[in-house]
């Protein structure tokens, strides 16, 4: 069935299936017969109608995003976990940071619940922590600016799988509130023959976004590096009608740089959520135990780790997300700006008690 995607009132992508009609009656597969649409047609009317379903595939010269700078510690953490998996499966995460003059600056990564295979990954769409992640990022002055995915080594020229291009398009549609220009960026990482991780950044074209929004593209099981064209639509690739489109036609390169985030503590290494093994109270001890030897250290500095913040927020029965989360984030930002960074003594005692240090 053909699926049409629209932007819901909450900014989410909503998929709607069209009612199927027999190919014999429809003027295109999956569509009603012309006479069912309206009683009389002129040639101009028909051509205008038909043209809505035609796509002449062409490359987009430049990406809207003019560059992306990635936090080095976040990159190291993500690629290190892939290393523990032997680079044998796919994995993804959402990038949080800021945008200025169409340039993206990534300060941290959140990896949602997911299942990875050798060729893909499946993200849990019912992530109960997602609203809390958005709230925590917002308290730190950050927003979702892109996503990152990793995959096992591939043959040369195989850059994006069809499913990856489709997800990039859907996320850009959501960020742009429709088929509009957006700096929302996709970062991919894999490992080369020398065992070194390579980070590259891309956007998919506005044409790809439009085709995904109309339900014209779908995954293709027998050619992972391409997207299938729905029978309702016509795609013309290099002058020839095609039933699939290589994902390389949709990709726009984005320059990549790195930096050390000024928000989070250098060397922060709290275990990320939704990885194995999962983090627990004992993982707080290395950070909080430092206070026992150096009481003058500030709690906000020791807790300036996005993974740690999200872990604490995932225990709402102890750390109230409406009070503790904004207070902690405010103290972290104050410390980073050289301002007094105070966290209520009650929160401090709660942290020590939770970590089992009393």
């Amino acid at each position: 069935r053909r699926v049409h995607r629209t932007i819901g009132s909450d900014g989410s992508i909503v998929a709607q299936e069209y009612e199927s009609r027999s190919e014999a009656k429809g003027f295109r597969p999956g569509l009603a017969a012309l006479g069912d649409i309206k009683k009389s047609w002129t040639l101009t009317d028909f051509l205008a109608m038909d043209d809505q379903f035609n796509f002449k595939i062409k490359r987009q010269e430049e990406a809207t995003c003019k560059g992306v700078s990635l936090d080095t510690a976040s990159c190291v953490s993500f690629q290190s976990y892939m290393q523990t998996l032997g680079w044998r499966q796919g994995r993804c995460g959402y990038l949080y940071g800021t945008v200025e003059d169409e340039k993206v600056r990534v300060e941290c990564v959140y990896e949602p619940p997911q299942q990875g295979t050798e060729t893909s990954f499946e993200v849990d769409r019912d992530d109960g922590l997602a609203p809390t992640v958005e709230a925590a990022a917002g308290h730190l002055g950050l927003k979702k600016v892109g996503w990152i995915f990793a995959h096992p080594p591939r043959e040369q020229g195989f850059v994006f799988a069809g499913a990856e291009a489709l997800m990039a398009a859907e996320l850009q549609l959501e960020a742009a509130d429709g088929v509009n220009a957006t700096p929302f960026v996709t970062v991919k990482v894999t490992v080369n023959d020398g065992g070194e991780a390579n980070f590259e950044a891309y956007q998919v074209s506005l044409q790809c976004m439009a085709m995904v929004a109309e339900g014209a593209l779908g995954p293709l099981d027998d050619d992972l590096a391409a997207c299938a064209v729905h029978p309702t639509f016509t795609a013309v690739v290099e002058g020839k009608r095609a039933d699939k489109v290589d994902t390389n036609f949709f990709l726009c390169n984005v320059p990549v740089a790195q930096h050390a985030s000024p928000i989070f503590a250098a060397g922060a290494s709290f275990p990320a959520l939704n990885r194995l093994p999962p983090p627990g109270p004992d993982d707080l001890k290395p950070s909080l135990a430092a206070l026992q030897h150096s009481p003058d250290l500030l709690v906000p500095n020791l807790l300036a780790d996005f993974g740690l913040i999200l872990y604490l927020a995932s225990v709402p029965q102890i750390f109230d997300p409406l009070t503790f989360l904004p207070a902690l984030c405010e103290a972290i930002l104050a410390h980073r700006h050289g301002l007094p960074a105070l966290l209520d003594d009650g929160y401090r005692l709660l942290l020590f008690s939770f970590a089992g240090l009393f």
Side-chain angles (χ1 to χ4, degrees), residues 265-266 281-304 308 348 351-352 355-358:
D282 285 348
D283 293 305
L284 289 169
K285 291 181 178 179
S287 295
L288 295 179
L291 286 171
Q292 296 177 323
H293 306 292
S294 302
D296 57 327
L297 290 176
L298 292 172
V299 171
N301 183 48
L302 296 173
L303 302 183
L308 190 154
R348 178 171 169 161
L351 284 164
F352 271 80
L357 291 174
F358 281 158

Side-chain angles (χ1 to χ4, degrees), residues 26-95:
F27 90 99
R28 278 177 174 268
L31 296 180
L34 291 175
D36 291 343
I37 299 174
K38 69 177 188 176
K39 295 301 181 183
S40 62
W41 290 82
T42 66
L43 179 59
T44 301
D45 291 339
F46 174 77
L47 292 177
M49 174 75 170
D50 191 58
D51 193 53
Q52 298 176 38
F53 301 92
N54 294 322
F55 290 95
K56 183 178 180 180
I57 306 301
K58 53 186 177 181
R59 299 181 187 273
Q60 185 171 307
E61 293 298 325
E62 293 183 355
T64 299
C65 181
K66 303 308 179 187
V68 57
S69 184
L70 306 171
D71 170 54
T72 300
S74 297
C75 291
V76 170
S77 175
F78 191 73
Q79 73 183 51
S80 295
Y81 187 63
M82 286 300 299
Q83 185 66 41
T84 67
L85 298 175
W87 293 94
R88 292 189 298 270
Q89 61 180 255
R91 189 164 184 82
C92 75
Y94 298 121
L95 307 175

Side-chain angles (χ1 to χ4, degrees), residues 78 82 87 89-92 121 148-152 188-190:
F78 191 73
M82 286 300 299
W87 293 94
Q89 61 180 255
R91 189 164 184 82
C92 75
F121 46 82
I148 184 171
F149 72 89
H151 62 76
K188 72 162 230 160
V189 56
T190 190

Side-chain angles (χ1 to χ4, degrees), residues 49-166:
M49 174 75 170
D50 191 58
D51 193 53
Q52 298 176 38
F53 301 92
N54 294 322
F55 290 95
K56 183 178 180 180
I57 306 301
K58 53 186 177 181
R59 299 181 187 273
Q60 185 171 307
E61 293 298 325
E62 293 183 355
T64 299
C65 181
K66 303 308 179 187
V68 57
S69 184
L70 306 171
D71 170 54
T72 300
S74 297
C75 291
V76 170
S77 175
F78 191 73
Q79 73 183 51
S80 295
Y81 187 63
M82 286 300 299
Q83 185 66 41
T84 67
L85 298 175
W87 293 94
R88 292 189 298 270
Q89 61 180 255
R91 189 164 184 82
C92 75
Y94 298 121
L95 307 175
Y96 288 86
T98 57
V99 178
E100 185 175 355
D101 297 329
E102 306 297 346
K103 292 183 178 180
V104 172
R105 184 179 174 94
V106 176
E107 307 295 356
C108 54
V109 180
Y110 168 65
E111 299 164 40
Q114 59 195 277
Q115 296 293 327
T117 69
E118 289 185 2
T119 58
S120 64
F121 46 82
E122 185 71 27
V123 176
D124 184 355
R125 299 290 183 175
D126 298 319
D127 180 7
L129 194 62
T132 302
V133 177
E134 297 294 322
H139 290 314
L140 293 166
L142 309 175
K143 66 177 183 178
K144 189 184 294 182
V145 293
W147 73 297
I148 184 171
F149 72 89
H151 62 76
R154 294 170 174 167
E155 61 269 25
Q156 188 173 2
F158 181 5
V159 184
F160 272 47
E164 293 155 1
L166 294 173

Side-chain angles (χ1 to χ4, degrees), residues 201-263:
Y202 299 87
Q203 286 191 294
V204 294
S205 64
L206 285 166
Q207 183 179 59
C208 181
M209 293 170 66
M211 294 182 74
V212 170
E214 290 298 326
L217 295 175
L220 192 60
D221 292 336
D222 59 359
D223 187 350
L224 296 179
C227 293
V229 179
H230 192 279
T232 300
F233 297 87
T234 299
V236 178
V237 180
E238 297 179 333
K240 297 180 180 179
R241 182 168 180 163
D243 58 5
K244 63 181 179 180
V245 182
D246 191 299
T247 57
N248 287 337
F249 279 103
F250 297 133
L251 301 182
C252 305
N253 291 86
V254 175
V256 180
Q258 289 195 12
H259 69 275
S261 174
I263 300 176

